[in-house]
Amino acid sequence: MVDVVLREVREETGVSLTEPPTIVDAELFWPIPDKQITLVCFGCRIDNAAETTPSHEHDDVRFFSLDSLPRALPDTYRRFIDAARRLV
């Protein structure tokens, strides 16, 4: 699982993580009937967040410190963030 996270972060953002991510939390939900989605939140430290390269799937990549996150985030993301704060 860790290898998948490392690869996906690198592919989607251009950032190579220097230490392994830690599972913070997870949630199952059903956005439409018969379609289950699993959100898994991983916590990690990023030293080179200024050096991003979005994949062809994205127009932009941004990293935020815990103290400067956008206000309009879904409740699930807020819960994930609160859980990650406890690990820092």
Side-chain angles (χ1 to χ4, degrees):
M1 176 70 81
V2 169
D3 290 342
V4 172
V5 174
L6 295 173
R7 184 188 71 238
E8 286 299 314
V9 169
R10 187 177 55 254
E11 287 176 2
E12 300 296 330
T13 68
V15 172
S16 294
L17 301 179
T18 56
E19 46 186 88
T22 303
I23 292 178
V24 172
D25 201 349
E27 181 173 306
L28 300 174
F29 70 101
W30 291 262
I32 55 177
D34 299 325
K35 298 292 179 184
Q36 178 180 313
I37 302 291
T38 304
L39 291 177
V40 180
C41 175
F42 291 89
C44 63
R45 296 188 184 278
I46 298 175
D47 295 327
N48 59 345
E51 302 170 17
T52 61
T53 306
S55 74
H56 68 280
E57 298 173 359
H58 305 288
D59 294 329
D60 192 14
V61 173
R62 296 180 193 184
F63 289 95
F64 297 88
S65 69
L66 288 173
D67 296 326
S68 64
L69 291 165
R71 293 194 185 278
L73 293 173
D75 290 341
T76 299
Y77 294 0
R78 286 275 171 212
R79 194 183 84 243
F80 286 171
I81 291 163
D82 289 343
R85 279 183 195 268
R86 292 189 289 275
L87 296 176
V88 175

